[in-house]
Amino acid sequence: RTIGDRIGEAKASGNLGNTLKILGQFDEAVVCCQRHLDISQEQGDKVGEARALYNIGNVYHAKGKHLSWNMAQDPGYLPEEVKETLQKASEYYERNLSLVKELGDRAAQGRAYGNLGNTQYLLGNFNEAIAFHKERLAIAKEFGDKAAERRAYSNLGNAHIFLGRFDISAEYYKKTLQLSRQLKDQAVEAQACYSLGNTYTLLQDYERAIEYHLKHLVIAQELGDR
């Protein structure tokens, strides 16, 4: 501020916002991220503007998740305050998405689609969540980003469960399992086995359910995860 560096001030405000978000001070975080947005717009800095929109989305997303943790409810059955917060997150991600499309930033589009999928899932809009996660998946494949691809499959599996399409969920979870093995991520592999066990229980294929739950158990024991 002293040297009149507006872009520097914008970035510093954004960093403050992100730090306050991590500290759980969501309302203060929004103020700082909004400042990042305002200055970026004033300076015609499109990249900064996109980043600020994404960061504000993240603050509302984190706040929504934080508020809903206190209530162990299924996605979609949310108190009004939580719903409004997640809808705000979604709106900022949408604005970010249209801007990064304009900028031709595919990687940023991937991140926006993933977060839109997650917020729509929490809001109980499972068909919308699926559409966004499919876009996320396509971009992850484009970049050869196996970790993002794995997350997309997992999220697609979760959303199909709530639509009662258990067989489709099982296919997505199998892809999650395959990728977690490729990535040598045992904790995620265990999670995928757990999800498959539950899905096969819903499909009333109990032999397979047992098989996957046993695999989950073995990894949990290996990792010493009580």
Side-chain angles (χ1 to χ4, degrees), residues 44-113:
D45 173 7
K46 292 280 190 191
V47 174
E49 185 182 341
R51 201 162 289 155
L53 288 167
Y54 182 73
N55 288 343
I56 298 174
N58 281 346
V59 175
Y60 283 119
H61 194 174
K63 183 181 179 180
K65 279 200 286 196
H66 178 77
L67 289 170
S68 60
W69 277 337
N70 310 328
M71 319 144 203
Q73 281 157 321
D74 282 341
Y77 299 96
L78 298 168
E80 208 45 51
E81 187 192 359
V82 181
K83 219 179 259 182
E84 278 170 21
T85 306
L86 290 169
Q87 267 154 356
K88 271 186 185 164
S90 220
E91 281 159 30
Y92 279 100
Y93 287 141
E94 289 273 14
R95 286 172 64 188
N96 165 264
L97 181 61
S98 67
L99 191 49
V100 293
K101 275 182 178 170
E102 200 184 300
L103 294 166
D105 185 341
R106 286 294 278 168
Q109 286 169 47
R111 289 191 292 275
Y113 280 125

Side-chain angles (χ1 to χ4, degrees), residues 22 27 31 41 56 103 136-137 154 174 196 211 214:
I22 294 164
D27 299 338
V31 173
Q41 284 172 333
I56 298 174
L103 294 166
R136 176 68 192 110
L137 179 62
S154 186
K174 279 179 196 162
L196 277 161
E211 193 186 310
L214 281 171

